[in-house]
Amino acid sequence: MSEPASLLYSEVEEELRSAVRGLLADKCPPSAVLARAEAASGGDVPYDMDLWKTLARDIGVAGLLVPESLGGAGASAREAAVVMEELGRAVAPVPFLSSAVLATRALLGAGEEAGDLLERLASGETTAALAVSFAASPYVPLYLSLRPAVTLGRDGTLTGRVTGVVGAEVADVLVVPAVDESAQEGGEPVLCVVEAAHARVKGVGSLDLTRPIATVSFAGAPARRAGTSAGVRDALLLAAGLLASEQLGVAEWCLTTTVSYVKERKQFARPVGSFQAIKHRLADLWLELVGARAAARNAAALLGAGADAGVAVAVAQAYCGTAAVHAAEECVQLHGGIGMTWEHPAHLYLKRAKADEIALGTPGDHREALTWLADLPAPES
Amino acid sequence: MALDAAAVGERVQAFLAEHDPARMDRLDFLRARFDAGLAWVHFPEGLGGLGASRDLQAVVERGLRHTPDNAPGRIGIGLGMAAPTILAFGTEEQRKRFLRPLWTGEEVWCQLFSEPGAGSDLATLATRAVREGDEWVVDGQKVWTSSAHHARWAILVARTDPDVPKHRGLTYFVCDMEAPGVEVRPLRQITGEAEFNEVFLTGVRLPDALRLGEVGDGWRVAQTTLMNERVAIGGAPMRRTMIGIVSDTWRSRPELRTHSLHQRLLKLWVDAEVMRLTAVRLREQLAAGHPGPEGSAAKLAFARLHQELSGLEVEMLREDGLAYDDWTFRRPETVDFMGREAGYRYLRAKGNSIEGGTSEILRNIIAERVLGLPAEPRADKDVAWKDLPR
Ligand SMILES: Cc1cc2nc3c(=O)[nH]c(=O)nc-3n(C[C@H](O)[C@H](O)[C@H](O)COP(=O)(O)OP(=O)(O)OC[C@H]3O[C@@H](n4cnc5c(N)ncnc54)[C@H](O)[C@@H]3O)c2cc1C
């Protein structure tokens, strides 16, 4: 466990944060997200694509992880993590994680054929989604998590169905790991690219209204091979590591909002925040967030340095997933009745936190990975 | 211009070139190390330091790791609490007199703060110090005083003005533990040994030159001590960690493993790693010159984790966990949270959420000073200490 680069935020990272935060404060206040969640509950797509275009192009977040040679910013996971924190703090309905992290990272591992698509993704001109379940864990071999599998026929078309996909409703192209029928049995899946127009994307009623899941089906969809699917596992690991920063952002909003509420709200002729039972709960939550920040920063720093980040990601996910849910649950509870209402944004954070807990491996999956990552062997039987 | 890692590394090499620990008396070596500014690099020059950034201490420790150390387990209170307070509030004479033998371990320090009637509510303490000419006459009783039986000096808070509200009538002193009227009696702990004591102060005469800070400013001076105490308990890097001990046992004794213990161990391993990273980040912040409130968090997290892990260790050991190595009423030389066997570690860890401010008090501090939540309604703020209900 060598010490990575700093766990603090650099000046560049703070500048990026304030640009993203400023834009979100302006274009993505809780009232706006609530309106989109309301629409999503009726079956609409919640994503704010105008906001996404501004973020992607003007601030340049779409190309953060793409090398400069392909028109990207050539930044690292550290910068992407700061963006995730801010998007989490605002539960912003934009396809950053699905397009600029998951799909982009999968393509970066595919080979040279993916180059031109990566350039379009980096510029923000095109948006993509990775057709893998959001509940997939980076610890399960890809061929096992691809069930029912999508197959690439000898005629070059795709057939099959993937459930639990995020960001597909607003993707121009789908990046699809598929079993190649012409290859031998048990071979690694290949990575294909399909125009969204050739796929069927059907939204599913989702717990997280601001990042819903969809089922993506292909029935003889014309596909282009983009190379190997070797980058998919790396994409899942990277996304899991960065998700810890989103969870940190979610938890921070919940803590800050709750602290201001209990300072104002009076019962028994005193602010409810002056009761020790409540002060101690919030102190414990703050403590959990201090740990969550250290864990999330460590994962981002190691992922960013291209070092072995397995332990760091597992630790960050095992810790931050639970911390965000805890923060959101405390937020609802300590707001009393108002916390239970549709009008108050607390539920958006609760739903995001709970969905994030499942996404890319549950805290339990990440803890169990430490059995081998940290050499803590399970009992024999 | 502050020194960088390379410059500090060079000083270490230059020092070693002139001082061969194999050919020198241990104490002479430590004194020379202090004089070379390699004791605590963030202290000023002439006082054992180089005025360098605190994180460069790691460079020194690495370079000198095969040389005799100052037995930090014996002198933790001096290093962690007395020294930073003397540095912050001492006169030039006091700094020169006390810091060198404190650091080399020639003089052990203890902390005379808590009293039978004043623990969490330290500011209510009753030990009196009355001025007589150039001296102060101290009377009272202190309790839970770790290492008092070895101590040459103590940091002491006493009441010098009972007619003002409790926080305002306190003054901070260095107490001479060899002065007539100082009596130390051991207090046996749940571990069987007596690491702490009760200390009776009867007509103890201290020259005014042993006062630290202004008369009536004792509370402010004590805050410096307490804040450093929390960082010292929770934030310091440790050679042997509780998670290391438990994980080693887990790896070497497969017959102890069960699924339920495995799940708990994995969770605590994550917590321990997060605590380690929090401490790394805390040290980075201190080095960058913007200390965050993470210091009190570190102590709170440390206590909880240490207690959970030491509890797991005893349970995991089954029959071995039923055994206890030694109940002798000993007076230990050092304070070592990780020392001895599992049973001892489990019992000693119980003190971690009491010593240096209880976990409840630390949560109050975080809630009020970090989160800005309203203070509890208080009855004692504007009342003269002597009129407080008892
Ligand atoms: C191993 C060990 C070593 C020690 N070494 C030293 C030493 O060297 N020098 C020294 O001066 N002291 C020392 N102490 C003393 C220590 O600082 C005190 O024990 C501690 O501050 C608590 O004070 P108390 O024991 O009087 O408990 P009390 O203050 O009486 O507390 C009793 C209980 O009430 C809780 N409580 C009190 N006030 C509040 C509040 N406002 N809100 C919520 N809960 C509250 C406490 O958390 C605790 O659980 C040591 C203690 C231990 C255990």
Side-chain angles (χ1 to χ4, degrees):
Chain A
M1 276 174 290
S2 62
E3 236 50 85
S6 174
L7 300 183
L8 306 180
Y9 300 98
S10 71
E11 246 167 71
V12 176
E13 287 157 21
E14 289 294 4
E15 275 168 28
L16 177 62
R17 179 203 299 290
S18 71
V20 175
R21 190 183 286 190
L23 177 68
L24 293 174
D26 187 25
K27 297 284 195 272
C28 190
S31 55
V33 186
L34 274 170
R36 289 184 173 275
E38 165 71 30
S41 71
D44 284 356
V45 172
Y47 293 100
D48 182 344
M49 293 309 278
D50 289 335
L51 172 64
W52 171 238
K53 292 265 141 64
T54 313
L55 270 171
R57 294 177 186 171
D58 301 351
I59 301 184
V61 304
L64 277 179
L65 296 172
V66 178
E68 280 171 290
S69 59
L70 292 172
S76 81
R78 295 180 65 98
E79 289 80 11
V82 171
V83 173
M84 288 288 280
E85 251 182 66
E86 293 309 313
L87 295 177
R89 197 192 307 279
V91 280
V94 292
F96 177 74
L97 179 63
S98 49
S99 181
V101 178
L102 277 166
T104 298
R105 182 66 190 85
L107 287 167
L108 281 168
E112 279 175 18
E113 301 93 319
D116 63 316
L117 177 53
L118 280 165
E119 278 183 38
R120 281 186 285 132
L121 288 177
S123 69
E125 181 189 324
T126 299
T127 300
L130 179 66
V132 171
S133 167
F134 199 37
S137 129
Y139 309 115
V140 177
L142 193 56
Y143 67 91
L144 284 178
S145 42
L146 295 182
R147 287 213 177 121
V150 177
T151 49
L152 173 64
R154 286 171 207 283
D155 62 352
T157 67
L158 283 188
T159 308
R161 196 168 70 99
V162 188
T163 54
V165 178
V166 290
E169 304 92 324
V170 288
D172 305 305
V173 295
L174 295 159
V175 178
V176 193
V179 176
D180 184 356
E181 273 190 347
S182 55
Q184 67 198 83
E185 187 76 11
E188 267 292 303
V190 290
L191 203 64
C192 298
V193 174
V194 179
E195 295 298 320
H198 298 304
R200 182 160 181 269
V201 176
K202 190 171 181 318
V204 175
S206 299
L207 176 65
D208 181 2
L209 292 159
T210 56
R211 185 157 60 204
I213 51 169
T215 299
V216 180
S217 339
F218 307 97
R224 189 165 67 81
R225 270 173 194 262
T228 75
S229 63
V232 175
R233 195 194 153 272
D234 295 336
L236 294 176
L237 193 73
L238 173 69
L242 292 179
L243 190 66
S245 288
E246 177 175 299
Q247 287 160 330
L248 173 63
V250 166
E252 282 204 311
W253 184 90
C254 292
L255 177 65
T256 313
T257 305
T258 307
V259 166
S260 2
Y261 183 72
V262 300
K263 280 184 198 169
E264 298 298 319
R265 170 72 177 168
K266 290 203 177 73
Q267 288 290 280
F268 303 95
R270 3 188 317 206
V272 292
S274 69
F275 293 106
Q276 197 178 55
I278 293 188
K279 287 163 77 171
H280 281 193
R281 277 166 74 161
L282 290 170
D284 281 335
L285 187 58
W286 175 80
L287 184 62
E288 208 174 329
L289 262 59
V290 169
R293 171 169 290 108
R297 279 275 92 194
N298 183 52
L302 283 172
L303 285 163
D308 180 358
V311 172
V313 170
V315 166
Q317 267 303 300
Y319 197 84
C320 299
T322 314
V325 171
H326 183 209
E329 290 178 348
E330 289 292 70
C331 181
V332 170
Q333 173 66 19
L334 297 181
H335 275 78
I338 192 96
M340 199 62 199
T341 62
W342 187 260
E343 283 106 286
H344 194 282
H347 67 101
L348 301 176
Y349 290 83
L350 179 67
K351 291 163 187 172
R352 172 63 69 85
K354 198 65 191 167
D356 275 3
E357 190 185 39
I358 298 166
L360 303 160
T362 64
D365 295 337
H366 291 281
R367 272 196 296 276
E368 277 180 11
L370 292 166
T371 301
W372 64 90
L373 291 173
D375 183 25
L376 298 168
E380 297 282 284
S381 58
Chain B
M1 186 48 213
L3 297 169
D4 62 10
V8 171
E10 275 167 32
R11 302 243 180 163
V12 172
Q13 288 320 313
F15 174 72
L16 279 176
E18 304 225 328
H19 302 87
D20 179 356
R23 293 155 170 273
M24 272 178 89
D25 171 60
R26 175 178 168 278
L27 206 50
D28 288 338
F29 180 83
L30 290 171
R31 286 176 182 152
R33 177 174 163 185
F34 185 94
D35 295 338
L38 299 174
W40 30 36
V41 295
H42 62 290
F43 272 49
E45 283 184 50
L47 295 174
L50 299 169
S53 160
R54 188 189 280 259
D55 60 330
L56 295 178
Q57 188 65 30
V59 176
V60 177
E61 298 304 330
R62 230 177 292 133
L64 296 180
R65 74 180 168 274
H66 299 301
T67 67
D69 70 12
N70 56 357
R74 244 182 107 242
I75 56 172
I77 292 171
L79 293 175
M81 292 156 240
T85 314
I86 293 168
L87 181 66
F89 290 95
T91 61
E92 204 44 43
E93 269 174 5
Q94 289 170 331
R95 293 157 150 200
K96 282 256 180 289
R97 164 63 189 86
F98 292 124
L99 289 175
R100 190 177 188 245
L102 180 160
W103 185 85
T104 59
E106 286 162 81
E107 293 180 346
V108 175
W109 286 67
C110 68
Q111 178 190 18
L112 293 170
F113 280 27
S114 305
E115 298 182 3
S120 298
D121 186 9
L122 180 64
T124 202
L125 62 85
T127 293
R128 286 280 279 128
V130 177
R131 189 155 192 161
E132 277 186 20
D134 236 10
E135 285 184 329
W136 295 86
V137 183
V138 183
D139 285 279
Q141 185 196 338
K142 296 289 177 175
V143 75
W144 325 127
T145 319
S146 307
S147 304
H149 48 294
H150 299 302
R152 174 67 188 83
W153 300 103
I155 41 179
L156 164 74
V157 189
R159 185 157 309 278
T160 45
D161 187 354
D163 297 323
V164 294
K166 60 181 186 178
H167 291 93
R168 284 196 252 140
L170 301 171
T171 302
Y172 199 116
F173 298 94
V174 170
C175 179
D176 181 349
M177 293 296 283
E178 288 174 2
V182 176
E183 191 200 338
V184 177
R185 294 187 202 152
L187 278 175
R188 197 172 187 192
Q189 281 156 248
I190 62 174
T191 53
E193 61 184 12
E195 170 194 308
F196 57 35
N197 305 270
E198 44 187 354
V199 177
F200 296 85
L201 304 165
T202 316
V204 177
R205 292 187 163 268
L206 301 177
D208 188 52
L210 288 180
R211 177 165 49 79
L212 216 55
E214 298 304 312
V215 175
D217 208 21
W219 184 248
R220 196 164 67 95
V221 183
Q223 289 308 308
T224 299
T225 309
L226 295 177
M227 261 152 52
N228 278 286
E229 178 168 25
R230 281 153 207 165
V231 175
I233 294 179
M238 276 179 287
R239 276 161 303 152
R240 226 170 143 224
T241 59
M242 199 60 220
I243 187 67
I245 293 170
V246 176
S247 302
D248 286 347
T249 307
W250 180 266
R251 288 173 193 131
S252 63
R253 299 192 54 186
E255 77 281 7
L256 299 176
R257 297 177 200 155
T258 67
H259 288 288
S260 102
L261 286 171
H262 189 225
Q263 292 302 322
R264 285 160 61 196
L265 176 63
L266 291 172
K267 179 179 176 298
L268 290 174
W269 198 91
V270 169
D271 290 348
E273 178 64 1
V274 170
M275 199 189 77
R276 186 186 71 83
L277 293 167
T278 303
V280 169
R281 200 161 185 273
L282 170 65
R283 288 196 292 274
E284 265 194 86
Q285 276 176 322
L286 285 172
H290 36 85
E294 272 88 348
S296 43
K299 199 235 159 198
L300 191 51
F302 169 79
R304 186 186 297 160
L305 180 71
H306 208 226
Q307 292 176 347
E308 285 185 46
L309 274 168
S310 60
L312 183 78
E313 188 191 16
V314 173
E315 184 185 336
M316 180 171 109
L317 288 172
R318 292 183 186 256
E319 197 176 294
D320 291 346
L322 292 174
Y324 192 82
D325 63 342
D326 181 8
W327 289 118
T328 319
F329 184 2
R330 297 186 309 136
R331 308 195 80 189
E333 278 293 313
T334 60
V335 175
D336 182 0
F337 297 161
M338 314 297 163
R340 292 172 52 177
E341 304 283 317
Y344 176 85
R345 283 192 279 275
Y346 171 69
L347 295 173
R348 183 59 185 84
K350 293 290 162 263
N352 295 155
S353 54
I354 303 171
E355 57 202 325
T358 69
S359 290
E360 289 74 25
I361 294 299
L362 292 182
R363 286 192 188 93
N364 285 350
I365 290 174
I366 291 171
E368 290 172 21
R369 301 209 198 133
V370 180
L371 300 178
L373 291 169
E376 302 270 316
R378 295 180 58 163
D380 58 353
K381 266 210 145 133
D382 302 312
V383 184
W385 176 81
K386 66 176 172 22
D387 300 327
L388 286 175
R390 299 215 157 68

